[in-house]
Amino acid sequence: MKYHSTRNKSLKYTSKEAIQQGLSPEGGLFVPESIPKVTRDELKKWTSLNYRERAKKIFGLFLTDYSKEELDSCVDEAYTSAKFSSPEIAPVVSMDEKLHILELWHGPTSAFKDMALQILPQFLTTAVQSSPDPKEIVILTATSGDTGKAAMVGFQDVPGTRIMVFYPRQGVSSMQKLQMATQEGNNVSVVAVNGNFDHAQTGVKQIFQNEELKENMSRNGLGFSSANSINWGRLAPQIVYYFSAYLDLLKQGSIEFGQVINVVVPTGNFGNILAAWYSRKMGLPLGRLICASNDNKVLTDFIQTGVYDRRREFHPTISPSMDILISSNLERLLYELSGRNDVQVNEWMKQLSENGYYKLEGAALEELQSIFWGGFATEQQTRDAISDTFKKNAYTLDPHTGVGKWVYDRYKEETGDNRITLLVSTASPFKFPGDVLQAIQDNGTVENVVKENRTEESGLAANNDNNATTDDLQILEQLSKISGMDIPKPLENLGEKAVRHTDECEIDQMLDHVSSFMGI
Ligand SMILES: *Cc1c(COP(=O)(O)O)cnc(C)c1O
């Protein structure tokens, strides 16, 4: 299986090359040249397999230049009980007969990013070992809050790698910020950028395309790679859990074999839901892919009208990992919907960067709308969804999953489609404890404890003795008591960790930070 670029179909790379480079030289994203099919017979056989074994089957279809031994060892190192608190790795929990929740947050950083970022370092280092010109890998990552931490934990002290993370200074929750500021490891660096996630992501993309810098790095034995969801090495692991969840539902007797189910995905950069789309293409019986957004509802509008328009106000929300106006992975879907028309993709991407919008029409739009359904939740609606689910089902949702639950209910109301549905839960509620606690507590007493949860001007990076730490840890305890859930161990221990990263920069200083981190 070879990989093309969405902006130049004539390029051909192996999966090792694609994973190592992250982004194609002309700015496109790597896509498999064909989408492998899983027959019903084969799928049925996978029912008895565990998560690791299912992962090996899927990777064997996409990462064909890795040997079986290589893939086995990548998987066996990544999805272990030392790293994941659930023996199922990605367990499915049932709300009622119709709604099932796929919990993707049992990894070391309590967000779904771990599902891919626990294995990406193994994919990458394996790829580098078989490269004719092995270089030290420099990972650059822009994060809306969860990727950065998950990537650093994945790459912490991995030989032959260094990682630098940029996050929007005022765009992450205080818990996310504390998780990043306390990151250990001798090969990591974290910088808060004065800007939003889109600024940070655009800044990182530009640095990736800086030829002068890359030549200089090459002379010094260094090469960039990306841990963002633009890397195919992150997409492939996300396909695994859709297959696995379907098979678990089957095993639990919640569905019949072959029964079509819908999926709801809280969406930002369009990576997670794109993996659902690939799974569907591969033959997994998925029906509607329901794309849930928060107030930054650029994708809802796109799915409803065909117009992708980023020229709008940016809203910081209580689901910060979805505060995104430029959903990078959509480019992969556009490539497929346009019949793999790289010229057309180039044109759309040019319009997006120059004019701020593009328009999908005709058959491509029809296909988009026949598969996807878009909806969004406001801040209050998100809180209501968390509160209602807690009251009705005694189940605590994080704000991102709360957005998904709200949109799921609207979808049913508007379409009458009452198929069995998998709601993808992308974070532990303990990652956003203040907002969640506030939502599930009826009385106002919590207001005193829960201060503004967003990072303030004098956030942790600037001020080590900021009270947010103590507040957050106190809130964790309270949330645990009320929800009846255990605090994830890595979050519980945060209070004892020293703040090690306090760097800040302007957008136009990102390049300088990267150079000095590499010492070139
Ligand atoms: C990253 C993230 C999302 C968005 O996922 P995409 O793949 O970027 O669409 C949603 N929820 C949480 C908690 C996340 O960390």
Side-chain angles (χ1 to χ4, degrees), residues 374-387:
F376 76 103
T378 64
E379 296 287 89
Q380 191 52 49
Q381 291 166 343
T382 305
R383 292 193 171 95
D384 289 348
I386 297 171
S387 160

Side-chain angles (χ1 to χ4, degrees), residues 111-113 146 266-272 321-322 324 398 400 426-427:
F112 94 93
K113 305 296 196 289
D146 291 330
T267 298
N269 223 0
F270 211 76
N272 201 352
S321 302
M322 294 155 65
I324 292 177
D398 96 288
H400 302 77
T426 51

